[in-house]
Amino acid sequence: MVVSSNGRSAWLFSLTGSIERGFEAVDAMKKKILTEISGQMNCFLHGGRPKLRNVPVLLSPYFAGTIAHEALGHLAEADELPNTPLADKLDERIAPEFVGLSDGNVPDGHGNDLYDDEGVQVKKVEILKDGVFNEPLVDRERAYLLGVVPNGHARAESYAFEPMIRMRNTYFEPGDWTFEELLEEVKLGYYLVSAGPGQTGLDSSFTVGVMEGYVIRNGEIAEPIFGATASGKALDALSGIRGLGRKLDFENSYCGKGQVVRVSMGGPHVLFEEGIRVV
């Protein structure tokens, strides 16, 4: 949706879909789309430019999923691994011990499959386990070279393409905080709900547009913000994670890496005490 008002212009969107459900999913999809567009419209019409600096940032499951996929997941794809900061960090702690990052099949996941395009059974990969870089995503060739077991992440857009290493459904593992408890931890900060266009690098750097976001004051969601971007280095920001919510949620989407494949990205709510800058 393209909108313009009082000298402002923006495009608003909501992305959803399913490969496992039929028409019974439509009502839930309508609700998701209307909720997201309504929130984005509120920020567009009433939001102010962000003014706070170096404050805690609470990410929604959808926004956390963008970081999980774009800024972290691609680094763990074994064909990219030699060119990333994770190249020499296998079995090394890079996040607090309560932080996990996984990829595999999930309920209604857009990237679900029984087998990959090399005939390997899809398994859950704990990329980060107890804060340790535990396992990369591999195809048969990289598995052999690294001396690990293939984990079902060779994917092709269609029969006309050669399989390459791709994510499926990438997400932060849930923690034990409620959403209200995470909010109460923030005296002054931001709540980022939905992410827009952005850029990422193989050094884990990211700059992502904020489609819907709010100021947090004294543990409560306050005024909306507009025209904001969130940036940082995901590997540096990991150490700033304060807490993870209990409930997982996902956005069904697509990923392009020379080929387009279905993916999901998500997690729980994630509170970063530092490491993400909103401007």
Side-chain angles (χ1 to χ4, degrees), residues 10-272:
W11 61 279
L12 317 177
F13 75 94
S14 175
L15 185 63
T16 188
S18 177
I19 62 169
E20 296 188 344
R21 295 181 295 165
F23 280 109
E24 73 274 11
V26 171
D27 287 341
M29 290 179 183
K30 286 181 181 177
K31 181 178 179 180
K32 177 181 183 293
I33 291 170
L34 291 174
T35 298
E36 291 186 359
I37 293 296
S38 176
Q40 292 172 22
M41 183 67 78
N42 178 50
C43 291
F44 169 73
L45 292 174
H46 308 294
R49 299 288 180 176
K51 298 178 180 178
L52 306 177
R53 297 292 182 267
N54 301 319
V55 295
V57 176
L58 177 60
L59 302 183
S60 75
Y62 301 147
F63 212 111
T66 298
I67 304 300
H69 176 100
E70 297 290 357
L72 290 170
H74 279 298
L75 274 62
E77 293 171 331
D79 54 343
E80 304 283 6
L81 190 59
N83 303 313
T84 77
L86 292 181
D88 57 354
K89 294 187 182 298
L90 194 62
D91 299 322
E92 181 178 324
R93 184 178 302 282
I94 60 174
E97 64 180 9
F98 58 84
V99 176
L101 181 76
S102 299
D103 188 283
N105 290 334
V106 300
D108 196 39
H110 222 203
N112 286 357
D113 270 315
L114 293 178
Y115 297 89
D116 74 1
D117 291 322
E118 292 181 332
V120 175
Q121 187 171 7
V122 175
K123 59 168 284 193
K124 177 181 177 178
V125 177
E126 295 177 290
I127 300 170
L128 295 184
K129 183 177 181 180
D130 301 327
V132 173
F133 178 33
N134 178 63
E135 184 180 3
L137 308 178
V138 296
D139 57 7
R140 288 183 181 271
E141 178 185 2
R142 283 5 179 266
Y144 173 79
L145 294 174
L146 293 171
V148 300
V149 177
N151 49 41
H153 284 79
R155 306 181 66 191
E157 180 177 336
S158 74
Y159 70 90
F161 293 82
E162 182 178 350
M164 60 194 303
I165 300 171
R166 306 298 298 273
M167 284 173 278
R168 293 187 174 279
N169 309 294
T170 314
Y171 58 98
F172 283 101
E173 291 282 0
D176 56 4
W177 295 63
T178 67
F179 176 60
E180 291 73 21
E181 288 170 340
L182 291 170
L183 268 180
E184 288 172 1
E185 288 291 305
V186 183
K187 301 306 177 187
L188 186 63
Y190 288 112
Y191 175 38
L192 306 185
V193 180
S194 60
Q199 295 179 329
T200 59
L202 287 178
D203 61 351
S204 85
S205 62
F206 63 90
T207 301
V208 183
V210 179
M211 302 291 290
E212 181 182 0
Y214 304 87
V215 174
I216 300 174
R217 296 184 189 278
N218 298 316
E220 295 185 354
I221 298 173
E223 66 268 24
I225 58 175
F226 172 77
T229 59
S231 62
K233 279 193 174 182
L235 288 184
D236 294 340
L238 285 175
S239 62
I241 294 179
R242 173 77 173 91
L244 296 147
R246 297 175 182 172
K247 184 179 179 181
L248 283 173
D249 203 356
F250 293 88
E251 181 171 68
N252 291 346
S253 185
Y254 293 88
C255 176
K257 181 183 166 184
Q259 304 177 29
V260 177
V261 296
R262 300 184 307 269
V263 298
S264 294
M265 53 193 81
H269 281 88
V270 183
L271 175 59
F272 287 81

